[in-house]
Amino acid sequence: MSKPTIDFADGNGLIESREMTDTEYAEWLETKKKIEDDYAIQAEKVAARKAVLEKLGLTEEEMAALLG
Amino acid sequence: MPTTSNFGWTTPADTDLVKDGAAAIRTLGNGIDTSFVDLKGGTTGQVLAKASNSDLDFTWASDATGIPATIFDAKGDIIAATAADTASRLAVGSNGQVLTADSTASTGLKWASPAMGSYTYTRIGSTSGTATSLTYTITSGYKQLYYAFNVTDPGSMYLRLNSLSGANYQNSYYHRLFSVNTTTSTSIALDGAVTINSGGYWNGIVQISDVTGNKPFVEWNCVTNGNGAVTTIGGIANYNSNITLSTLQFVWTNSKAYELVEWGAN
């Protein structure tokens, strides 16, 4: 299975586009997990906020106005 | 008649008769009394000040040169004049504010946030491609940098500078660029010369201040609703130390087509 592609560039454009090395791949997997964990946490917050708004019968704008 | 060497007060001569002693001493006392008349009077807290260049010519006056410590109320207080010979306390401002001249203020001074500088950004370069990660070498020679980027679909991504981890930042949102975003946009136009992106792309901007100076400041935002307006502040961060930024790294969870445009200013 091929590894993901990593690009290198500067102001003049693309310098190199290649498959990640084993080290880069390991780092990317770690970062990917952080991103997905962040996504899950954020999604939970969004869902919780939505539930509270529904419970209160308020829109986002109305809540924002209430909170000043 | 002999006199004293410094003030010329008349004193009895060695040949004076004893019967004249009382008068001579009275003359001496009167001379001293006249000389020191300026020391008479005054009130609590006053100090003696010279009234002229003449010897023993004094006057009682308020202590104009010494400002009592009780004028200070709190840490950071400073003293400024509200008029000639009139001292006043000026309380410290908020964090980050600077002392600014303001003729409408009673002291002529106020604490205020520093004015934003004005910069003219020049387009430096751009790149595009399809990858899971992009490491972009920051163009040197600019103090302020501005990036606009697009990716093919909404999602999550991380931003890293100089490949540094969170411990190098002073903000808990250190290198998370966007975590959840399902908004697509249609265009982003900057400086009127470049329009990047079309429908279906996802836009963002990254602004870096003081690239080579004191603790570079980074701000990233999401641009939505197709009009280029910044609607979501993704995060801000300061570096813990003074460093020169060299790379800007985007990391995605899967392969994406991307575009990146770089502007710089000094």
Side-chain angles (χ1 to χ4, degrees):
Chain A
M1 186 181 118
S2 61
K3 295 187 178 65
T5 302
I6 182 170
D7 280 5
F8 295 88
D10 62 14
N12 295 317
L14 189 64
I15 298 170
E16 181 184 12
S17 182
R18 59 166 172 76
E19 192 173 284
M20 290 180 180
T21 64
D22 288 344
T23 303
E24 290 166 345
Y25 182 58
E27 288 175 353
W28 174 74
L29 283 176
E30 188 179 336
T31 302
K32 181 172 182 285
K33 184 174 185 318
K34 284 182 184 173
I35 296 173
E36 289 168 347
D37 288 348
D38 276 351
Y39 187 99
I41 292 168
Q42 194 70 17
E44 282 177 17
K45 287 181 179 175
V46 170
R49 181 179 179 84
K50 188 179 176 188
V52 169
L53 289 173
E54 284 178 359
K55 195 88 173 175
L56 295 173
L58 295 172
T59 65
E60 284 280 358
E61 292 75 21
E62 290 168 339
M63 175 62 94
L66 277 175
L67 295 175
Chain B
M1 296 289 284
T3 56
T4 59
S5 58
N6 289 320
F7 292 101
W9 293 321
T10 302
T11 58
D14 295 340
T15 56
D16 285 349
L17 297 176
V18 173
K19 69 180 180 62
D20 297 326
I25 293 171
R26 188 160 54 249
T27 299
L28 172 62
N30 286 338
I32 296 170
D33 183 72
T34 299
S35 294
F36 282 86
V37 69
D38 287 349
L39 272 58
K40 189 176 181 182
T43 190
T44 303
Q46 286 189 316
V47 295
L48 270 181
K50 290 289 289 184
S52 72
N53 290 333
S54 301
D55 292 337
L56 294 178
D57 189 12
F58 294 110
T59 184
W60 289 105
S62 297
D63 188 1
T65 58
I67 297 173
T70 51
I71 194 173
F72 298 110
D73 286 347
K75 177 182 177 182
D77 284 353
I78 61 173
I79 298 171
T82 55
D85 305 325
T86 309
S88 177
R89 180 183 70 90
L90 178 63
V92 69
S94 304
N95 288 343
Q97 289 189 316
V98 296
L99 197 57
T100 306
D102 179 3
S103 61
T104 65
S106 60
T107 58
L109 296 168
K110 70 175 181 182
W111 291 99
S113 299
M116 295 296 289
S118 175
Y119 299 99
T120 300
Y121 282 87
T122 303
R123 183 180 177 183
I124 303 169
S126 64
T127 188
S128 62
T130 301
T132 305
S133 174
L134 167 65
T135 300
Y136 187 88
T137 300
I138 292 171
T139 302
S140 61
Y142 295 91
K143 191 171 183 180
Q144 316 290 330
L145 290 169
Y146 192 95
Y147 297 88
F149 65 91
N150 309 284
V151 290
T152 46
D153 61 77
S156 302
M157 60 189 288
Y158 264 50
L159 171 69
R160 286 197 183 95
L161 293 150
N162 284 17
S163 300
L164 295 173
S165 63
N168 298 98
Y169 299 81
Q170 293 179 323
N171 188 311
S172 59
Y173 298 101
Y174 52 91
H175 59 309
R176 186 176 69 202
L177 184 52
F178 303 112
S179 57
V180 179
N181 193 303
T182 56
T183 304
T184 58
S185 58
T186 56
S187 68
I188 175 171
L190 298 171
D191 79 4
V194 179
T195 299
I196 52 177
N197 196 14
S198 59
Y201 273 60
W202 183 49
N203 306 147
I205 58 174
V206 179
Q207 190 163 12
I208 306 173
S209 303
D210 218 357
V211 176
T212 58
N214 179 31
K215 297 181 180 178
F217 177 83
V218 183
E219 179 174 348
W220 50 90
N221 300 281
C222 179
V223 182
T224 60
N225 300 329
N227 59 6
V230 175
T231 57
T232 304
I233 295 177
I236 56 175
N238 275 77
Y239 277 94
N240 288 331
S241 57
N242 299 341
I243 59 168
T244 297
L245 299 183
S246 58
T247 60
L248 188 62
Q249 183 183 24
F250 297 90
V251 182
W252 296 289
T253 55
N254 52 32
S255 182
K256 294 179 185 299
Y258 65 84
E259 295 173 329
L260 180 74
V261 181
E262 181 184 39
W263 285 265
N266 283 310

